[in-house]
Amino acid sequence: METLLNTALIESTAEKIDALALAAAAAAETWANCPRTTRARLLDGLAAAIEAERETLVAIADTETHLGTARLNGELDRTAFQLRMFATLLKEGRPFRALDEPAVPGAPPAGHPHMTLVRVPIGPVAMFAASNFPFAFSVLGGDTASALAAGCPVIVKAHPGHPQLSQRIFELACSVIAAQQLPAGVLGMVQGASVDVGVSLVTHPAICAVAFTGSFKGGTALQAHAQARPRPIPFYGELGSVNPIVVLPAALDSQAEALAQTLAGSIALGCGQFCTSPGIVILPDHKMGAAFIAQLGAALSQADLHDMLTPGIRRLYDAGVERLNKLEQVHPLVGPARVADGGPPTAYLGVVDGQTFLRSPALHEEVFGPACLVVKVSSMEETIQILQAIGGSLTATIWGAGDSTPDNVRLVNAAMGIAGRVLFAGVPTGVAVTAAQQHGGPWPASTQPFTTSVGHAALDRFLRPVALQDAPAWLAASAAGTENHQD
Ligand code: NAP
């Protein structure tokens, strides 16, 4: 029997997970081979359904997450945009276009048979919803939209931080699926506050891939389960990031005050609960740098913060700030946070010198929340060493690299060496949903640095290449001509 945890969060039983996975497997062939327009119609229908319920959904989300109605309305818009974006890609057919190479007579390697490269849906996907994006990385978020677009059924593991919202959105999705007379197994959802639910899903033989956004600890545990299966499966995990910002002297010449305000806003945005929140600022150790730090501290101490997503996330934030602040060489300029639970946290800004930072691995880890560490550096060499010590990150930002100098070239190369996205203006919070987006990066930003979870290419994670060699005419023609032989 299922255990009722509250009005919305029902701990899914092993039997229920098994039944959902089998339903997804049963729906997989139909969904993979249906016309692309059928899949596009579902995505468009899901976008319209959440928009039609906007007021109710945003109200539930605000109660459960404290993120505020302005942010949540914007996030709902983004979620509908993502669903429609993948619908458009389906209608255009580009991701499914086959690569056709006619046979070339003669001996290999120049001569070769007729080759047609196609991409096929990987099969049912388990999707772990994120706590910090209750719409855009949750039940009908980017992972679900891209997997459905690719032709894969999805089973969502709802996040226990917003159970009622997840349940309501899932019910809306089910009614759209039923109205369009599609198999119910196209979308399933499990809930639970114990790790058993997620583990059962990842280890179920019918699941063919996993998409995850969350903690390093949870992600690495689930990835190990995905790898330990008799048949290991791809695990697309986004695990966390410190998103360094390098402020070069040129950036401080004319706009220091404005940059400090913008940076403080980015650190505090959503109470710092963004995977792209700036956690480390690398700054020259000179007079202008000192003035900038003071301006940043003043702006951050004025930041308007709200309650964090869950009590667990709040506890981790307090512990993380304590870890940063423990070293006596770290000078707190704002904070440290109150340790007491309840109410919004306090922002934290610490200042440390480059050599101490390099010697202290505890300072290199993400603190999820409105915390940031300023690292004062004495040379470009030290700046690059610090970026390399930080390692994999979703983003790296460089302000003031407008001129093509040898130092700037080295710095940009170092930033590209550690990050999936390198910015030269603005702040890393806010991820454009576009064709050229890359939201991923070397470990631990992502478990699969060649992939992105935002943008058009998110769909590629769920399509597996197959080369058809000397395919019969009917198959080669349909693959090369229509990219979907039932269209
Ligand atoms: P989380 O603890 O990683 O949980 C995410 C999902 O994974 C939940 O559904 C959770 O289910 C499941 N899970 C976690 N550990 C598991 C395990 N060992 N086995 C099976 N399932 C597991 O993330 P969170 O609750 O959202 O936040 C905690 C911390 O994660 C934050 O403080 C922050 O450091 C990080 N975080 C990072 C990002 C990012 O963008 N990379 C986003 C949000 C949070 P149950 O809760 O039911 O166990």
Side-chain angles (χ1 to χ4, degrees):
M1 225 181 97
E2 293 183 326
T3 321
L4 192 62
L5 297 178
N6 66 29
T7 48
L9 180 53
I10 295 172
E11 179 98 3
S12 301
T13 60
E15 293 75 23
K16 166 137 189 204
I17 296 166
D18 185 49
L20 285 173
L22 294 178
E29 192 178 345
T30 308
W31 191 240
N33 292 301
C34 70
R36 283 184 275 109
T37 47
T38 302
R39 302 210 290 267
R41 194 172 71 234
L42 175 61
L43 297 176
D44 284 335
L46 294 172
I50 56 170
E51 284 174 338
E53 285 272 326
R54 173 188 296 274
E55 220 175 299
T56 313
L57 296 177
V58 166
I60 302 172
D62 195 26
T63 305
E64 290 191 320
T65 66
H66 324 291
L67 290 174
T69 54
R71 145 79 194 268
L72 289 164
N73 270 299
E75 197 186 320
L76 190 147
D77 288 338
R78 172 183 165 172
T79 309
F81 178 87
Q82 291 173 163
L83 287 159
R84 293 200 176 99
M85 177 190 83
F86 286 115
T88 303
L89 289 181
L90 280 164
K91 290 169 208 163
E92 293 170 355
R94 260 178 300 148
F96 303 92
R97 212 153 280 169
L99 178 62
D100 195 50
E101 284 189 311
V104 174
H112 61 72
H114 178 198
M115 304 295 296
T116 310
L117 187 65
V118 296
R119 302 202 298 164
V120 296
I122 196 166
V125 172
M127 197 289 277
F128 284 74
S131 53
N132 57 342
F133 279 93
F135 291 112
F137 276 91
S138 197
V139 180
L140 293 182
D143 285 333
T144 299
S146 54
L148 287 177
C152 302
V154 175
I155 301 181
V156 176
K157 158 66 171 72
H159 195 282
H162 48 267
Q164 303 203 31
L165 179 70
S166 303
Q167 186 62 34
R168 185 67 200 119
I169 292 184
F170 180 62
E171 284 164 6
L172 278 178
C174 288
S175 47
V176 176
I177 288 168
Q180 296 191 5
Q181 299 181 323
L182 297 169
V186 162
L187 185 68
M189 188 176 87
V190 298
Q191 298 226 40
S194 80
V195 296
D196 297 351
V197 172
V199 173
S200 306
L201 192 57
V202 168
T203 53
H204 195 286
I207 295 298
C208 298
V210 183
F212 173 92
T213 304
S215 66
F216 180 82
K217 193 170 162 221
T220 47
L222 286 167
Q223 185 183 33
H225 284 291
Q227 293 305 306
R229 294 164 44 120
R231 182 172 57 83
I233 53 174
F235 183 89
Y236 301 109
E238 194 213 298
L239 309 186
S241 198
V242 295
N243 304 299
I245 295 193
V246 180
V247 185
L248 296 173
L252 296 179
D253 280 350
S254 58
Q255 44 176 343
E257 174 77 49
L259 285 176
Q261 291 286 345
T262 305
L263 181 53
S266 180
I267 294 167
L269 193 69
C271 207
Q273 299 165 116
F274 279 90
C275 46
T276 50
S277 189
I280 292 175
V281 175
I282 306 168
L283 200 65
D285 187 7
H286 65 29
K287 213 168 137 195
M288 263 169 21
F292 179 78
I293 295 171
Q295 288 162 335
L296 178 61
L300 193 59
S301 60
Q302 302 293 315
D304 195 12
L305 298 172
H306 51 70
D307 284 355
M308 297 192 82
L309 291 163
T310 65
I313 287 176
R314 172 63 195 274
R315 276 193 294 278
L316 286 170
Y317 173 69
D318 288 341
V321 168
E322 204 181 315
R323 191 184 70 231
L324 294 184
N325 204 49
K326 208 163 158 183
L327 277 182
E328 65 180 47
Q329 294 94 329
V330 177
H331 304 289
L333 201 64
V334 179
R338 278 186 287 119
V339 175
D341 278 350
T346 313
Y348 177 79
L349 186 69
V351 184
V352 69
D353 68 88
Q355 289 306 307
T356 303
F357 181 86
L358 288 170
R359 280 195 307 271
S360 315
L363 302 181
H364 306 176
E365 289 169 30
E366 179 190 26
V367 175
F368 194 68
C372 185
L373 199 58
V374 174
V375 184
K376 293 196 290 186
V377 290
S378 52
S379 66
M380 179 56 72
E381 195 56 46
E382 200 175 39
T383 302
I384 289 173
Q385 284 171 5
I386 285 164
L387 288 180
Q388 288 165 347
I390 290 169
S393 192
L394 289 168
T395 71
T397 302
I398 305 173
W399 287 342
D403 296 330
S404 166
T405 64
D407 267 358
N408 283 349
V409 170
R410 284 176 62 218
L411 180 61
V412 170
N413 285 338
M416 289 172 69
I418 64 152
R421 177 164 58 110
V422 179
L423 296 84
F424 299 92
V427 285
T429 41
V431 185
V433 184
T434 63
Q437 186 54 272
Q438 174 58 30
H439 191 65
W443 176 274
S446 166
T447 60
Q448 304 271 352
F450 305 106
T451 67
T452 178
S453 58
V454 178
H456 294 196
L459 192 151
D460 295 342
R461 297 173 297 169
F462 307 113
L463 290 174
R464 187 174 59 79
V466 178
L468 305 175
Q469 182 167 329
D470 287 332
W474 63 268
L475 178 58
S478 66
T482 66
E483 299 96 43
N484 183 329
H485 48 265
Q486 286 197 15
D487 254 0

